[in-house]
Amino acid sequence: MNKKTLFEKIIDREIPAKIIYEDDLCIAIEDINPQAPIHILLIPKKPIEKFSDFKQDDKDLLAHLCFKVNEVASICNISDSFRININNGEEAGQEVFHLHIHILGGRKFSWPPG
Ligand code: AMP
């Protein structure tokens, strides 16, 4: 049996987290080490390792997550301006290998990213 990912443990309530939103397909939690006044992780319950592992069969889930980004931003009162970020792979800064979308807001962001 495969070991659970950190985020599966959070989904299964084995590790505590501040839950902002949840439905059958995804959960949104506060990041434990926020990089902005608002920093949420939107996580599909299906433990896809990384963004580039998305399959054709996952396209409805991907669309669902896109809509939920906006809903979570609205819940957090950052609809007007926010940044979304997905780290895909170690070189890109991914540390938890269970796909998640960072939703950041509440401050000004610069470009290019570091
Ligand atoms: P990434 O580097 O894209 O894989 O992002 C992983 C994110 O998970 C980081 O921003 C961490 O701060 C966050 N994180 C790690 N452990 C927890 C936890 N127990 N609860 C909430 N967020 C976490």
Side-chain angles (χ1 to χ4, degrees), residues 67-99:
F67 281 110
K68 293 304 160 181
V69 162
N70 286 335
E71 195 169 325
V72 168
S74 173
I75 290 168
C76 297
N77 294 312
I78 54 168
S79 292
D80 279 353
S81 185
F82 58 87
R83 178 169 288 186
I84 54 175
N85 182 85
I86 298 172
N87 297 323
N88 185 78
E90 245 175 75
E91 280 285 293
Q94 186 173 3
E95 288 177 355
V96 178
F97 283 81
H98 179 150
L99 174 67

Coordinates of all heavy atoms in Angstrom, one line a residue, residues 67-99:
F67 N -12.4 26.8 -11.3 CA -13.6 27.6 -10.7 C -13.4 27.8 -9.2 O -13.7 28.8 -8.7 CB -14.9 26.8 -11.0 CG -15.4 27.0 -12.4 CD1 -15.4 26.0 -13.3 CD2 -15.9 28.2 -12.8 CE1 -15.8 26.2 -14.6 CE2 -16.3 28.4 -14.1 CZ -16.3 27.4 -15.0
K68 N -12.9 26.8 -8.6 CA -12.7 26.9 -7.1 C -11.7 27.9 -6.7 O -11.7 28.5 -5.6 CB -12.5 25.5 -6.5 CG -13.6 24.6 -6.6 CD -14.9 25.2 -6.0 CE -16.1 24.5 -6.5 NZ -17.4 25.1 -5.9
V69 N -10.7 28.1 -7.6 CA -9.7 29.2 -7.3 C -10.5 30.5 -7.1 O -10.2 31.2 -6.1 CB -8.7 29.4 -8.5 CG1 -8.0 30.7 -8.4 CG2 -7.7 28.2 -8.4
N70 N -11.4 30.8 -8.0 CA -12.1 32.1 -7.9 C -13.0 32.1 -6.7 O -13.2 33.1 -6.0 CB -13.0 32.3 -9.2 CG -12.1 32.7 -10.3 OD1 -11.0 33.2 -10.1 ND2 -12.5 32.4 -11.5
E71 N -13.6 30.9 -6.4 CA -14.5 30.9 -5.2 C -13.7 31.1 -3.9 O -14.1 31.8 -3.0 CB -15.2 29.5 -5.2 CG -16.4 29.5 -4.2 CD -17.3 28.3 -4.4 OE1 -17.4 27.8 -5.5 OE2 -17.8 27.8 -3.4
V72 N -12.5 30.4 -3.8 CA -11.7 30.6 -2.6 C -11.2 32.0 -2.5 O -11.2 32.6 -1.4 CB -10.5 29.6 -2.7 CG1 -9.5 29.9 -1.6 CG2 -11.0 28.2 -2.5
A73 N -10.8 32.6 -3.7 CA -10.4 34.0 -3.6 C -11.5 34.9 -3.1 O -11.3 35.9 -2.4 CB -9.9 34.5 -5.0
S74 N -12.7 34.6 -3.5 CA -13.9 35.4 -3.1 C -14.1 35.2 -1.6 O -14.3 36.2 -0.8 CB -15.1 34.9 -3.9 OG -16.2 35.5 -3.4
I75 N -14.0 34.0 -1.1 CA -14.2 33.7 0.3 C -13.2 34.5 1.1 O -13.4 35.0 2.2 CB -14.0 32.2 0.6 CG1 -15.2 31.4 0.1 CG2 -13.8 31.9 2.1 CD1 -15.0 29.9 0.0
C76 N -11.9 34.6 0.6 CA -10.9 35.3 1.3 C -10.8 36.8 1.0 O -9.9 37.5 1.4 CB -9.5 34.7 0.9 SG -9.4 33.0 1.4
N77 N -11.8 37.3 0.2 CA -11.9 38.8 -0.1 C -10.7 39.3 -0.9 O -10.2 40.4 -0.6 CB -12.1 39.6 1.2 CG -13.4 39.3 1.8 OD1 -14.4 39.3 1.2 ND2 -13.4 39.0 3.1
I78 N -10.2 38.4 -1.8 CA -9.0 38.9 -2.6 C -9.4 38.8 -4.1 O -8.5 38.7 -4.9 CB -7.7 38.2 -2.3 CG1 -7.9 36.6 -2.4 CG2 -7.2 38.6 -0.9 CD1 -6.6 35.8 -2.3
S79 N -10.7 38.7 -4.4 CA -11.1 38.5 -5.8 C -10.5 39.5 -6.8 O -10.2 39.1 -7.9 CB -12.6 38.6 -5.9 OG -13.2 37.5 -5.2
D80 N -10.3 40.7 -6.4 CA -9.8 41.8 -7.3 C -8.4 41.5 -7.8 O -8.0 41.9 -8.9 CB -9.9 43.1 -6.6 CG -11.3 43.7 -6.6 OD1 -12.1 43.1 -7.3 OD2 -11.5 44.7 -6.0
S81 N -7.6 41.0 -6.9 CA -6.2 40.8 -7.2 C -5.6 39.7 -6.4 O -5.6 39.7 -5.2 CB -5.4 42.1 -6.9 OG -4.1 42.1 -7.3
F82 N -5.1 38.7 -7.1 CA -4.4 37.6 -6.4 C -3.4 36.9 -7.4 O -3.5 37.1 -8.6 CB -5.4 36.6 -5.8 CG -6.3 35.9 -6.8 CD1 -6.0 34.8 -7.5 CD2 -7.6 36.5 -7.1 CE1 -6.8 34.2 -8.4 CE2 -8.5 35.9 -8.0 CZ -8.1 34.8 -8.7
R83 N -2.5 36.2 -6.8 CA -1.6 35.4 -7.7 C -1.8 33.9 -7.4 O -2.0 33.5 -6.3 CB -0.2 35.7 -7.3 CG 0.8 34.9 -8.2 CD 2.2 35.5 -8.1 NE 2.4 36.7 -8.8 CZ 3.6 37.3 -8.9 NH1 4.7 36.8 -8.4 NH2 3.6 38.5 -9.6
I84 N -1.9 33.1 -8.5 CA -1.9 31.7 -8.4 C -0.6 31.1 -8.9 O 0.0 31.6 -9.8 CB -3.1 31.0 -9.1 CG1 -3.2 31.4 -10.6 CG2 -4.4 31.4 -8.4 CD1 -4.4 30.7 -11.3
N85 N -0.2 30.1 -8.2 CA 1.1 29.5 -8.5 C 1.1 28.0 -8.4 O 0.5 27.5 -7.4 CB 2.2 30.1 -7.6 CG 3.6 29.6 -7.8 OD1 4.3 30.2 -8.6 ND2 4.0 28.6 -7.1
I86 N 1.7 27.3 -9.3 CA 1.8 25.8 -9.2 C 3.3 25.5 -9.4 O 3.9 25.8 -10.4 CB 1.0 25.0 -10.2 CG1 -0.5 25.3 -10.0 CG2 1.3 23.5 -10.1 CD1 -1.4 24.7 -11.1
N87 N 4.0 24.9 -8.4 CA 5.3 24.5 -8.5 C 5.3 23.1 -9.0 O 4.7 22.2 -8.4 CB 6.0 24.5 -7.1 CG 6.1 26.0 -6.6 OD1 6.3 26.9 -7.4 ND2 6.0 26.1 -5.3
N88 N 5.8 22.9 -10.2 CA 5.8 21.5 -10.8 C 7.2 20.9 -10.9 O 8.0 21.3 -11.7 CB 5.2 21.6 -12.2 CG 5.0 20.3 -12.9 OD1 4.1 19.6 -12.6 ND2 5.9 19.9 -13.7
G89 N 7.5 20.1 -9.9 CA 8.8 19.4 -9.9 C 9.8 20.1 -9.0 O 9.6 21.3 -8.6
E90 N 10.8 19.4 -8.6 CA 11.7 19.9 -7.5 C 12.4 21.2 -7.9 O 12.5 22.1 -7.2 CB 12.8 18.8 -7.3 CG 12.8 18.2 -5.9 CD 13.8 17.1 -5.8 OE1 15.0 17.3 -5.7 OE2 13.3 15.9 -5.8
E91 N 12.9 21.2 -9.2 CA 13.6 22.4 -9.7 C 12.7 23.7 -9.6 O 13.2 24.8 -9.5 CB 14.1 22.2 -11.1 CG 15.4 21.4 -11.2 CD 16.6 22.2 -10.8 OE1 16.9 23.1 -11.5 OE2 17.2 21.9 -9.8
A92 N 11.4 23.5 -9.7 CA 10.5 24.6 -9.7 C 10.0 24.9 -8.3 O 9.2 25.8 -8.1 CB 9.3 24.3 -10.6
G93 N 10.6 24.2 -7.3 CA 10.3 24.5 -5.9 C 9.2 23.6 -5.3 O 8.8 23.9 -4.1
Q94 N 8.8 22.6 -6.0 CA 7.8 21.7 -5.4 C 8.4 20.9 -4.2 O 9.4 20.2 -4.4 CB 7.2 20.8 -6.4 CG 6.0 20.0 -5.9 CD 5.3 19.1 -6.9 OE1 5.6 19.1 -8.1 NE2 4.2 18.5 -6.5
E95 N 7.7 20.9 -3.1 CA 8.2 20.2 -1.9 C 7.2 19.1 -1.5 O 7.6 18.0 -1.0 CB 8.4 21.1 -0.7 CG 9.6 22.0 -0.9 CD 9.8 23.0 0.3 OE1 8.9 23.1 1.1 OE2 10.8 23.7 0.2
V96 N 5.9 19.3 -1.8 CA 4.9 18.3 -1.4 C 4.4 17.7 -2.8 O 3.8 18.5 -3.6 CB 3.8 18.9 -0.6 CG1 2.7 17.8 -0.3 CG2 4.3 19.5 0.7
F97 N 4.6 16.4 -2.9 CA 4.3 15.8 -4.2 C 2.8 15.3 -4.2 O 2.6 14.1 -4.4 CB 5.3 14.8 -4.6 CG 6.6 15.5 -5.2 CD1 7.5 16.0 -4.3 CD2 6.7 15.7 -6.5 CE1 8.6 16.8 -4.7 CE2 7.8 16.4 -7.0 CZ 8.7 17.0 -6.1
H98 N 2.0 16.2 -4.0 CA 0.5 16.0 -4.2 C 0.1 17.4 -4.7 O 0.2 18.4 -4.0 CB -0.1 15.7 -2.8 CG -1.6 15.5 -2.8 ND1 -2.3 14.6 -2.0 CD2 -2.6 16.0 -3.6 CE1 -3.6 14.7 -2.2 NE2 -3.8 15.5 -3.2
L99 N -0.4 17.4 -5.9 CA -0.7 18.6 -6.6 C -1.4 19.6 -5.8 O -2.4 19.2 -5.0 CB -1.5 18.3 -7.9 CG -2.1 19.5 -8.6 CD1 -0.9 20.3 -9.3 CD2 -3.1 19.1 -9.7

